[in-house]
Amino acid sequence: MKEKLRIAVQKSGRLHDGSIDLLRDCGLLLQNGRDQLKTSVQNFPVELLFLRDDDIPQYVADRVADAGIIGENVFIEKRSLCRIARKLDFAKCRLAIAVPRSDHYSGTQWLQGKNIATSYPVITEAFLIANGIEASIHEISGSVEIAPGIGLADAICDLVSTGSTLLSNGLKEVETVLVSEAMLIANPELSTEKAEILEKLLFRMDAVRSARNKKYILMNIPTDAISMITRIIPGMNSPTIMPLSRSGWSSLHAVVEENDFWEKIDVLKENGAEGILVLPIEKMIP
Ligand code: PRT
Ligand code: ZN
């Protein structure tokens, strides 16, 4: 019987949509099966399991699943021995120490002897040890940000992305403990067949991710501005240039980082670029 790679994905929460979008962009035809425990993929030898993110490292270690998508924070907190197959560039956040805004935080020594509330006791303790701090860790599972306000703790160690939760709870971020993003983890001992499926999937993920922040641009430029314009956009080192029927004009095609493009648009126009088209790129295979 042909084997399938079982991938554990968060059932619902901040990792779910990013994981499903990535797998769909890799060409996997997924049924809308979030309410089920598992779903199979019609056109690729993969089966998805929908689980709580905290359980995924253990299921992958126990071979209930072969691979899984989780945040780096959970991977490290659970001291997972699974292999990191790829960092996936979404669900970016940081685990940070935050203290009441009115407190004069003077550096890590401020934490000495304090009470710190967190859902990440393992990572928090490692941070305290690395900084030579003795403090007590109070483990709570949710709404960590309210702990200082209700007198449960002096400080917290919690995930932050925009920072607005800290702000609305009267807290300020003072130390970054860990920077995190979604990752694909895998059991280190997959069968040859499953390892091959994983390699194929990683190839597709790389193609999708390298295309995500890139755009394909086309523009008409005066032929004598070619060298100037190719210098304006970094990374545009080998654009395709074709002559236009209008004499003295060329068409330039290139792949650029979207951010670079927006920063340089005015200079491009000043140098005579016209009729600029910006197109999305679906996949990029180097
Ligand atoms: O039910 P299940 O156990 O599966 O989900 P969960 O509730 O444990 O996790 P979930 O869905 O909240 O987060 C899953 C993963 O998303 C985390 O483990 C992180 O890797 C990642 N992630 C990215 C985040 C955030 N950003 C984030 N902002 N996880 C949590 N938050 C919290 C943060 O703690 C704060 O309370 O979101 C709140 C808002 O953040 P701000 O800074 O934008 O206000
Ligand atoms: Zn969780």
Side-chain angles (χ1 to χ4, degrees), residues 161-211:
S161 54
T162 61
S164 64
T165 301
L166 294 184
L167 197 68
S168 57
N169 284 280
L171 301 171
K172 60 181 175 189
E173 191 177 341
V174 292
E175 302 285 347
T176 302
V177 174
L178 177 86
V179 176
S180 175
E181 65 185 272
M183 306 192 306
L184 181 73
I185 60 162
N187 186 291
E189 288 166 14
L190 296 180
S191 67
T192 313
E193 198 173 340
K194 285 185 176 180
E196 278 169 14
I197 302 169
L198 178 64
E199 279 311 308
K200 276 191 191 149
L201 183 63
L202 288 173
F203 178 83
R204 294 188 186 194
M205 284 184 170
D206 290 345
V208 170
R209 286 185 313 118
S210 43

Side-chain angles (χ1 to χ4, degrees), residues 76-286:
I76 296 179
E77 182 66 24
K78 301 285 179 190
R79 297 192 182 96
S80 172
L81 297 176
C82 296
R83 178 168 86 83
I84 300 174
R86 262 326 167 270
K87 295 206 173 183
L88 298 177
D89 217 27
F90 68 90
K92 289 188 172 178
C93 58
R94 54 204 182 272
L95 191 63
I97 306 269
V99 303
R101 236 184 353 254
S102 52
D103 284 10
H104 293 285
Y105 182 84
S106 49
T108 49
Q109 279 306 315
W110 183 95
L111 297 165
Q112 197 72 39
K114 297 277 199 308
N115 237 317
I116 305 172
T118 186
S119 309
Y120 293 89
V122 171
I123 304 177
T124 306
E125 192 179 4
F127 173 82
L128 294 175
I129 291 171
N131 285 280
I133 305 295
E134 276 189 45
S136 43
I137 295 173
H138 194 97
E139 184 177 351
I140 46 179
S141 58
S143 304
V144 175
E145 65 281 355
I146 64 167
I150 59 171
L152 190 67
D154 306 300
I156 63 167
C157 183
D158 198 16
L159 294 173
V160 182
S161 54
T162 61
S164 64
T165 301
L166 294 184
L167 197 68
S168 57
N169 284 280
L171 301 171
K172 60 181 175 189
E173 191 177 341
V174 292
E175 302 285 347
T176 302
V177 174
L178 177 86
V179 176
S180 175
E181 65 185 272
M183 306 192 306
L184 181 73
I185 60 162
N187 186 291
E189 288 166 14
L190 296 180
S191 67
T192 313
E193 198 173 340
K194 285 185 176 180
E196 278 169 14
I197 302 169
L198 178 64
E199 279 311 308
K200 276 191 191 149
L201 183 63
L202 288 173
F203 178 83
R204 294 188 186 194
M205 284 184 170
D206 290 345
V208 170
R209 286 185 313 118
S210 43
R212 275 199 176 157
N213 298 317
K214 300 252 180 6
K215 296 284 171 201
Y216 192 77
I217 55 167
L218 299 98
M219 64 186 91
N220 295 339
I221 57 172
T223 302
D224 56 15
I226 289 175
S227 65
M228 176 62 103
I229 284 179
T230 50
R231 259 183 278 136
I232 292 172
I233 301 184
M236 194 165 71
N237 39 23
S238 53
T240 306
I241 313 246
M242 285 173 288
L244 288 182
S245 54
R246 178 155 57 134
S247 96
W249 281 79
S250 297
S251 163
L252 179 149
H253 302 200
V255 174
V256 296
E257 288 280 340
E258 183 165 16
N259 276 346
D260 289 343
F261 172 76
W262 287 116
E263 278 171 17
K264 300 292 161 54
I265 182 98
D266 292 332
V267 199
L268 287 173
K269 282 164 72 183
E270 277 161 28
N271 278 276
E274 283 180 3
I276 303 172
L277 291 180
V278 183
L279 309 175
I281 300 173
E282 208 171 285
K283 316 276 187 303
M284 258 180 74
I285 296 151

